[in-house]
Structures are given as structure tokens and as C-alpha cells.
Amino acid sequence: MHTSQAVADKPEHENPALLHHFATKGQQKNAASLGMWLFLAQEVMFFGGLFCAYLVYRYKYFGDFGSASQQLDIRLGTINTVVLICSSLTVVLAIRAVQLGKRMALVFWLLATILFGLAFLGIKANEYAEKFEKHHVPGTSFSYHELLPGQEKFPAAERQYANPHHAEMFFSLYFAMTGMHALHMIIGVGLFGFLAYKAWRGKYTPDYYTPIENAGLYWHFVDIVWIYLFGLLYLIDRHR
Amino acid sequence: MSDHNSASEHTPEHISEHISSLGSCLAIWLALLAGTTLTVAAAFIDLGPFNTIVALTIATIKATLVVLFYMHVKYTHEKLTGLVIVSAIFFLFILLALSMADYTMRLWR
């Protein structure tokens, strides 16, 4: 009885993609997926700390944060949001391609994802450069002389200006949060480059594509972080 | 042996093997783009204190779409994934809610 069981299991164990300490491919995939989700839960807490710091200071310095937020380029921010959403679509299409066993389509969609990721980083670098030119980078050369939101309608003598120290706090949080996000993007682009090379070599098949799926989860998570960053950093008090 | 066999039948061999249709991938993509347009448009309308709430609600709807459809959570049979997601959101809620409860109630300062 046991022998026949062992024989029945044998083809499964001969699969080079199945590590010896897992009974089935399903079990192996579940373990890898659960590990990835636990990593993402840890990432939620990591970014959560930054979001919490942001909330505390936005609550304390609401008007100044509105003023500083309007120094960001909402056009570039929106374009970057669209770029990231498109990159999430290409990730999903890459997973679809590998599930259907289309190797070249997989490589194409992975490269498309890298391209969108680099486009995002390029636009972000452009925004950062503008911040350096305007002396809006926190530090000794920081200078800020802008009105509070909605003050343009008052006569010049009565207009109130934002507290530059509070605006500096906004930009500190802006650089910390978007910088951490950009670092995740850089890691993601590297990861997808590695996967694209492996995929081109034919490593991934409909039988084994866990790395593609888990890298996809990572990429979607980074996309979700940006969805919140965009809403919180770029869209404060725009109506005034 | 028969026990073992029935157990292995229940061992899901093809977990998260769900293949999304091209149509659903594009539909979610369009929904995410529509959400982006909506949130930018809403930011320029004066809703008083509700501007932030509207922005965060739209962001949460977009995030939910990504998690459910793009991250295949809707199609997974693995209950532990759901547990990890719910606990991550729950602990994030504790972090934000208790911190804000503290900072917003310091009326003596």
C-alpha cells in the first residue's frame, strides 16, 4: 500500500520546480504566497508609521500643509498616478501571459512594467529637481514665502503667509514618504529586470511562476501606497 | 489509504491558478483611471471638511479594486491570506486611531 503511494507520488517529486520539503506544488505555492503576504503586512506597518507622522502634523499645521501642498505639481502627480496604474495592468497581463504559457508575451509585459516604472522615477526626479531649484528641500538652504490657501482674495496688506517651519515639515514628510516609495520602485524595477531575464531564458512555465506572481504582489502594493500618497500629498486644499 | 486519498483530493493543487480574462483586467484598469480622474476633479470642488474624506474614500475604493482583482485575492481559496490582510489593516487602524485619539484630545496644550 505504501509502495503504491510512493510510486504515485514519484512524478510529483521528480518535478525540479518542487522543493523536497513540500508535498505538492499547491502546498509550495501557498507557502510562498503566504510569506509574501506577511512581508506586505510588515510593509503596511512600515509605511503606516510614515502615514501616522503625516496625519499628526497635518492635523497640527493644516493651513501650512495646504499651502506647501500647492507647491507640488498636480499635473505631474496625476500623470505619475496614471503611469503606475498602467504598470499594474502590465503586471497583471504578464501573469496572464505566463499562465497561458506565452514566453515572449511574458517578457514583453515585464519589460513594459520596467518601462512604466522608469517613467515614474524619471518624472519623480524631475519633480525633485524643481524642489531643489525652489529651495523647498528641508535643510539649511530651505526658504519659503508663500500665502496660506485662499488668501489671494484679500488686499495685499491683510494676506496671511504660511509658517515656513511648518511648510518645511510638510516637505520633510513629502521627501521621506515619496523617497521611501521611490526606493521601493527602484527595487521593483531591479526585480522585474531579473525576472525578465529569467523569463527570457524560459525559467517560468504555467507550472511554475511563483516569483512572477509574488513580484506582482509587491508591485501592486507599491501602487496602492502611491494611490494614498497622491491623495494625501498633492490634493490638499486645491479648491481654494 | 482511502482517507489519504480523500485528503489529497481536498488539497488544492491549483490554488490561485485563476486566469483573469483580458476583459476584466481592462475593466479594472479603466475603473482605476476613472477613480484618478474623479479624485482630481473632486479636489477642486469646495466640499468643506469632506474634501479629505472624499479623497481617502476614492483612494480606498481604488486600493480595494487592486487588492481584490489585480492581487487575485477574490479568487484565492487560501483563508490565511485574508487573515493576514485583515490583521494588517486592523493593526494599521490601531496605530492611526490611537495616535490621533491622543493628539486630538490634548486639550490642555
Side-chain angles (χ1 to χ4, degrees):
Chain A
M1 202 178 266
H2 273 283
T3 330
S4 68
Q5 188 62 44
V7 169
D9 279 349
K10 198 137 201 229
E12 194 75 88
H13 283 285
E14 276 171 359
N15 185 345
L18 180 69
L19 296 173
H20 66 88
H21 50 278
F22 290 111
T24 63
K25 278 183 295 175
Q27 188 197 31
Q28 172 172 290
K29 194 165 191 176
N30 271 354
S33 174
L34 182 63
M36 194 64 205
W37 279 104
L38 283 171
F39 170 70
L40 293 185
Q42 173 276 130
E43 289 274 80
V44 168
M45 296 315 287
F46 172 74
F47 277 103
L50 289 168
F51 278 106
C52 189
Y54 170 86
L55 276 183
V56 169
Y57 280 103
R58 175 154 171 194
Y59 170 75
K60 280 174 92 101
Y61 306 151
F62 188 83
D64 308 304
F65 266 40
S67 165
S69 165
Q70 289 175 8
Q71 300 303 310
L72 303 181
D73 192 331
I74 191 170
R75 207 169 43 87
L76 291 181
T78 310
I79 292 171
N80 255 352
T81 309
V82 171
V83 165
L84 267 197
I85 288 172
C86 291
S87 77
S88 266
L89 175 69
T90 57
V91 167
V92 172
L93 292 175
I95 290 171
R96 201 179 124 77
V98 72
Q99 283 174 329
L100 296 173
K102 296 176 179 163
R103 185 172 69 100
M104 286 324 282
L106 167 64
V107 174
F108 174 80
W109 289 122
L110 290 177
L111 291 178
T113 307
I114 293 172
L115 203 66
F116 279 122
L118 290 176
F120 177 93
L121 288 169
I123 294 170
K124 199 80 233 157
N126 213 31
E127 284 189 78
Y128 277 6
E130 194 209 354
K131 292 285 157 291
F132 275 95
E133 283 163 18
K134 289 164 98 178
H135 291 275
H136 285 172
V137 180
T140 45
S141 72
F142 183 83
S143 88
Y144 193 83
H145 189 69
E146 300 289 344
L147 292 171
L148 284 171
Q151 293 290 318
E152 292 86 354
K153 57 179 176 274
F154 298 115
E158 291 171 23
R159 287 177 187 167
Q160 290 185 340
Y161 284 84
N163 182 331
H165 295 297
H166 297 178
E168 191 171 11
M169 184 51 91
F170 174 86
F171 286 110
S172 297
L173 286 164
Y174 167 79
F175 277 104
M177 295 169 94
T178 59
M180 266 306 156
H181 180 266
L183 180 65
H184 278 76
M185 292 290 298
I186 292 168
I187 293 169
V189 166
L191 200 63
F192 272 72
F194 174 76
L195 290 179
Y197 171 71
K198 286 283 192 181
W200 179 65
R201 296 284 303 270
K203 168 111 173 130
Y204 306 115
T205 60
D207 248 5
Y208 175 73
Y209 58 93
T210 310
I212 308 267
E213 200 164 62
N214 282 351
L217 290 179
Y218 173 83
W219 194 274
H220 292 311
F221 170 80
V222 174
D223 185 12
I224 289 172
V225 171
W226 179 259
I227 287 174
Y228 281 98
L229 284 182
F230 176 62
L232 290 175
L233 294 174
Y234 287 77
L235 301 178
I236 312 173
D237 270 355
R238 287 283 173 181
H239 54 84
R240 298 215 196 170
Chain B
M1 174 112 184
S2 62
D3 274 335
H4 184 95
N5 268 350
S6 67
S8 64
E9 270 163 32
H10 287 291
T11 308
E13 188 61 28
H14 294 283
I15 269 184
S16 68
E17 299 272 316
H18 172 88
I19 302 181
S20 316
S21 76
L22 200 56
S24 82
C25 292
L26 291 174
I28 298 300
W29 178 64
L30 287 175
L32 292 172
L33 290 181
T36 305
T37 316
L38 201 63
T39 191
V40 173
F44 286 97
I45 303 167
D46 190 355
L47 303 169
F50 290 101
N51 272 94
T52 310
I53 295 170
V54 167
L56 284 178
T57 306
I58 296 174
T60 304
I61 292 170
K62 284 163 74 185
T64 310
L65 286 177
V66 172
V67 168
L68 284 183
F69 293 96
Y70 278 5
M71 293 165 100
H72 292 180
V73 169
K74 194 178 184 325
Y75 312 112
T76 186
H77 305 289
E78 178 60 72
K79 291 187 175 62
L80 275 174
T81 309
L83 181 69
V84 170
I85 297 168
V86 170
S87 23
I89 294 169
F90 178 68
F91 278 94
L92 179 66
F93 174 76
I94 289 181
L95 170 68
L96 299 180
L98 293 190
S99 305
M100 288 322 283
D102 183 9
Y103 281 103
T104 55
M105 312 253 170
R106 292 186 184 185
L107 300 179
W108 61 92
R109 291 184 65 189

